[in-house]
Amino acid sequence: MTMDYTVYGSRFSYFSMKLDAAMAWTGLTYTFQSRTMENRNLLETRSGTGQIPVLHTPENWMIADTTPLLHLLDGRNCRVRMFPDGPIGAIVALIEEWLDEWLPRLAVHYRWQYPASTAFASQGIAQDNAPGADPDARGMIAATITSWGQRACRATGITSEIQIQQGEQELDRLLAALDEQLGRTRYALGDRPCAVDAVLLGGLRAHFLLDPDPRQRFQKYSRVSAWAESATNWDGNGDLAPFPDSTPFARHIISEMVGPYLTFINANRTAIRNDKKSFEAVVYDENVSYKTRYYPEQSRQMLVRHLDSLRSEGSHEISAWIKEQGLGKLLVQ
């Protein structure tokens, strides 16, 4: 099947690199282009959002939001499904949700609270956004981007010494588990890629192995570094590890989900229902202030609907398994 797609995004963008990885595995023909000051208005008007990436499809659609986009691609006879059917699909969807909605706060932290990474990323993003601009204009763009990044750190609650320390340790645990897993299987949940791998590569390629501060810290995970460079060169063979055990890496992430993430997502949902602009939640034994954000709740609801569709296929064991993992509250309507 020859269908041409274009991914508009940024090499510094977590979700742009997530979609880029997924597109590489689909077998679809696509190109990657940077969003710039010149094409920004068109992309925002056509997609209805300022988010990146934006996927331009052969039907001349322009669509944002990577999780729905991966579901869209799964219906296009690609050579691999990012979200498989059946019980293993529940594990993929749950872990992808955590990597989408909780891990990015650490990407934001490392980029915008370490000076060397801030300078590197802000200047690189400014160059990509306005390649023909003079140095002063790019400097203004870089300053605007930096200001946004620092606000994002405050909004996601990763500013106190405790949150920074615990968050960095959380990421270390994740990468250690992934490094060990890659000594056993070619991908995080087995020997073929899925949505979990796409998100992981998004974080690694756009942040953790790109920005100087986390790159220096995480170069000790040699398997992860090598995988980040070669993982999209998949040969088309292999399967995911079976439900319910999946892989040690999967079990590690599920255990992480039951902690601070679940506390945050439930408190954010309550704040939305009570029409509050901010809320507090106890995360890592500290009372943390967060800005209420609508997208994590919207994404949680999409997850619930997807899991419901898997359960409706007759796989009642999914519900029981989710409750056994301590994640039943995540599925509350």
Side-chain angles (χ1 to χ4, degrees):
M1 177 171 64
T2 302
M3 300 178 73
D4 293 336
Y5 295 75
T6 302
V7 175
Y8 289 93
S10 168
R11 61 194 173 100
F12 292 92
S13 161
Y14 191 103
F15 295 104
S16 296
M17 292 296 97
K18 170 189 173 182
L19 182 58
D20 184 61
M23 291 297 296
W25 291 319
T26 63
L28 300 171
T29 303
Y30 79 103
T31 57
F32 187 97
Q33 294 189 26
S34 293
R35 183 184 69 177
T36 66
M37 301 298 287
E38 292 183 354
N39 61 30
R40 182 170 188 151
N41 286 340
L42 173 63
L43 295 175
E44 292 184 0
T45 299
R46 290 287 312 280
S47 68
T49 179
Q51 296 177 353
I52 54 173
V54 171
L55 181 65
H56 189 193
T57 74
E59 299 91 341
N60 198 27
W61 301 339
M62 285 192 173
I63 314 169
D65 198 341
T66 55
T67 298
L69 281 172
L70 296 194
H71 283 295
L72 172 71
L73 295 172
D74 277 348
R76 298 204 161 190
N77 196 30
C78 299
R79 66 175 184 155
V80 64
R81 289 177 61 89
M82 291 291 99
F83 291 99
D85 291 328
I88 190 60
I91 295 180
V92 172
L94 284 165
I95 295 176
E96 192 258 3
E97 181 74 3
W98 186 88
L99 292 169
D100 259 18
E101 302 303 326
W102 188 242
L103 189 62
R105 82 195 200 287
L106 300 178
V108 167
H109 155 63
Y110 269 109
R111 175 162 289 172
W112 304 115
Q113 296 191 130
Y114 279 86
S117 292
T118 298
F120 170 79
S122 63
Q123 292 167 14
I125 295 169
Q127 172 63 35
D128 288 353
N129 271 264
D134 61 54
D136 288 341
R138 287 202 302 272
M140 292 178 64
I141 295 171
T144 299
I145 294 166
T146 298
S147 177
W148 172 88
Q150 292 169 347
R151 291 195 305 273
C153 291
R154 293 192 293 271
T156 55
I158 186 119
T159 55
S160 76
E161 182 177 343
I162 290 175
Q163 296 306 304
I164 290 172
Q165 180 186 62
Q166 292 296 323
E168 290 185 351
Q169 290 177 5
E170 180 184 283
L171 182 56
D172 257 314
R173 292 194 298 272
L174 180 153
L175 293 177
L178 180 59
D179 200 71
E180 183 176 352
Q181 185 63 51
L182 293 172
R184 305 181 183 191
T185 58
R186 289 186 289 167
Y187 293 93
L189 301 193
D191 286 318
R192 67 91 152 169
C194 66
V196 169
D197 302 286
V199 190
L200 288 168
L201 285 179
L204 292 169
R205 290 179 168 182
H207 287 269
F208 305 127
L209 296 179
L210 179 67
D211 294 350
D213 293 286
R215 184 177 68 241
Q216 182 177 16
R217 176 167 181 168
F218 299 131
Q219 62 185 359
K220 61 186 176 182
Y221 299 116
S222 57
R223 292 192 191 99
V224 171
S225 296
W227 182 74
E229 293 182 3
S230 64
T232 49
N233 300 323
W234 179 51
D235 61 9
N237 297 313
D239 295 308
L240 296 175
F243 178 88
D245 290 340
S246 189
T247 63
F249 176 79
R251 296 195 294 274
H252 171 77
I253 299 300
I254 294 295
S255 69
E256 292 278 5
M257 289 182 72
V258 181
Y261 163 74
L262 192 59
T263 299
F264 161 79
I265 209 70
N266 287 329
N268 186 69
R269 178 178 61 207
T270 300
I272 290 172
R273 291 180 176 176
N274 293 332
D275 199 26
K276 293 185 176 181
K277 294 183 178 180
S278 63
F279 64 93
E280 292 186 347
V282 178
V283 173
Y284 288 121
D285 297 321
E286 180 182 40
N287 206 36
V288 182
S289 177
Y290 293 93
K291 179 181 177 181
T292 303
R293 292 187 290 133
Y294 288 91
Y295 188 79
E297 174 59 12
Q298 180 182 340
S299 184
R300 186 195 68 83
Q301 292 175 7
M302 287 191 292
L303 171 67
V304 171
R305 289 194 295 271
H306 177 62
L307 293 174
D308 281 343
S309 73
L310 294 177
R311 288 198 292 268
S312 69
E313 296 173 359
S315 186
H316 302 295
E317 58 190 326
I318 294 175
S319 294
W321 178 82
I322 289 174
K323 291 177 181 178
E324 288 173 2
Q325 306 312 306
L327 292 172
K329 290 183 178 179
L330 187 62
L331 307 184
V332 173
Q333 294 287 1

